[in-house]
């Protein structure tokens, strides 16, 4: 029998090049998902759009993680002024409000709300409403006994579906650039 010597360096180099292409493709997929998320989040105050973080690429686990976070600030309560339609005003003390992650509330929705300990809910509004309202800390609130349920707005799922359609083209382009 004849002795054969096989040089595997080219095969090992090909494996390293494929791994590098996979990492580049993952980075581009993460960046494209980031763009889709920023386009899909509802724009009311802009906080949710600003809360979309650039992708965090983990090349060892081959994952790209994008965090969407927008929290309402906790308020410490304090003094407020009730403005009645008649023009009269009255000073009131407001209870503190807890912070909550409204990025999740927008994506998943929420059930109807009723106050747990107080008598009414304060709902922040833009502009001056026609009826009675409370002004506190430079913000304007209307007073309601309850708040209706909010339907889910699955912006994250819409962005993922868009990326799913583009993923083969993105990966094919990366491999075409590196191996042609």
């Amino acid at each position: 029998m004849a002795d054969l010597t096989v040089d595997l360096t080219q095969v090992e180099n090909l494996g390293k090049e494929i791994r590098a292409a996979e990492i580049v493709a993952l980075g581009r997929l993460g960046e494209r998902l980031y763009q889709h998320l920023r386009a899909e989040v509802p724009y009311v105050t802009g906080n949710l759009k600003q809360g979309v973080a650039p992708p965090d690429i983990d090349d060892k686990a081959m994952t790209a993680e994008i965090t969407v976070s927008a929290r309402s600030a906790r308020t410490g309560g304090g003094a407020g002024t009730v403005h009645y339609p008649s023009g009269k005003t009255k000073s009131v003390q407001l209870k503190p409000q807890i912070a909550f992650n409204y990025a999740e509330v927008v994506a998943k929705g929420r059930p109807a709300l009723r106050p747990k300990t107080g008598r009414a809910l304060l709902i922040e509004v833009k502009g001056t409403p026609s009826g009675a309202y409370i002004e506190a800390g430079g913000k304007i609130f209307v007073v309601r006994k309850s708040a209706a349920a909010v339907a889910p707005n699955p912006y994250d799922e819409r962005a993922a579906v868009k990326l799913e359609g583009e993923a083969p083209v993105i990966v094919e382009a990366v491999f075409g650039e590196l191996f042609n």
Side-chain angles (χ1 to χ4, degrees):
M1 286 248 279
D3 289 337
L4 288 174
T5 306
V6 178
D7 184 12
L8 296 177
T9 56
Q10 292 300 320
V11 174
E12 290 171 357
N13 286 342
L14 179 62
K16 290 177 184 175
E17 290 175 0
I18 289 174
R19 176 71 177 169
E22 289 172 344
I23 293 169
V24 170
L26 179 64
R28 290 192 185 168
L29 288 170
E31 181 60 32
R32 189 65 181 141
L33 180 59
Y34 170 75
Q35 293 169 356
H36 283 311
L37 275 170
R38 286 188 53 91
E40 285 294 329
V41 295
Y43 188 90
V44 177
T45 62
N47 288 345
L48 193 54
K49 188 172 189 172
Q50 292 172 356
V52 179
D56 182 22
I57 308 296
D58 183 357
D59 57 349
K60 289 182 178 53
M62 290 302 289
T63 59
E65 184 176 314
I66 297 178
T67 304
V68 181
S69 178
R71 294 191 62 81
S72 70
R74 180 188 189 292
T75 59
T81 305
V82 178
H83 296 272
Y84 295 104
S86 64
K88 291 184 178 183
T89 61
K90 176 182 172 185
S91 294
V92 293
Q93 281 299 111
L94 303 175
K95 290 185 177 186
Q97 294 177 349
I98 61 170
F100 68 96
N101 185 351
Y102 67 86
E104 183 177 10
V105 171
V106 170
K108 295 180 180 178
R110 69 160 170 72
L113 294 177
R114 293 191 127 356
K116 291 182 181 177
T117 58
R119 291 180 285 186
L121 297 171
L122 294 180
I123 302 171
E124 186 176 351
V125 294
K126 302 289 180 206
T128 305
S130 59
Y133 63 93
I134 295 177
E135 187 175 6
K139 296 180 181 179
I140 297 175
F141 302 92
V142 293
V143 180
R144 299 289 184 260
K145 295 256 185 216
S146 64
V150 174
N153 181 350
Y155 59 86
D156 53 341
E157 293 174 13
R158 288 193 306 271
V161 167
K162 284 183 177 180
L163 180 66
E164 196 174 305
E166 296 176 0
V169 175
I170 292 170
V171 172
E172 185 178 316
V174 168
F175 277 82
E177 289 172 15
L178 296 177
F179 293 106
N180 283 336

